[in-house]
Amino acid sequence: MAIRVNLDRLLVARRMSLSELADRVGVTAANLSILKNGRARAIRFTTLDALCRELNCQPGDLLSHTPGPMALDDEGDDEIRDAG
């Protein structure tokens, strides 16, 4: 996937553990680990908001895009389609 999660770098910079962040955000450490390791398929805006609040960062600090070949997900939805 071309979206990268930079959670590990932010945790090091903030000198915070994954379990401490999980407690502050109200998400399990296991789910944050999935996000940190790039295995997450989605993130709720409420979770993104809480992460940004606790890490004192912007969404762009947490997420980055690396251009490359487009890969289809399991459902085959590879883009947002117009409703009209």
Side-chain angles (χ1 to χ4, degrees), residues 11-83:
L11 286 171
V12 169
R14 305 304 192 271
R15 295 183 180 171
M16 187 183 300
S17 70
L18 191 69
S19 60
E20 180 182 352
L21 181 61
D23 288 341
R24 289 183 178 196
V25 173
V27 176
T28 66
N31 282 339
L32 280 186
S33 180
I34 289 168
L35 182 64
K36 183 177 86 101
N37 293 319
R39 294 190 319 264
R41 295 182 46 126
I43 184 169
R44 293 179 188 267
F45 280 155
T46 53
T47 302
L48 183 59
D49 178 58
L51 289 170
C52 289
R53 183 187 66 240
E54 294 302 326
L55 294 170
N56 191 30
C57 69
Q58 294 293 313
D61 299 327
L62 190 59
L63 304 172
S64 62
H65 178 261
T66 305
M70 213 159 82
L72 297 176
D73 64 13
D74 291 344
E75 290 84 36
D77 294 331
D78 59 350
E79 61 187 62
I80 297 173
R81 302 188 196 287
D82 287 334

Side-chain angles (χ1 to χ4, degrees), residues 4-14 36 61 64:
R4 302 285 180 236
V5 180
N6 302 311
L7 184 56
D8 51 350
R9 289 192 291 174
L10 288 169
L11 286 171
V12 169
R14 305 304 192 271
K36 183 177 86 101
D61 299 327
S64 62

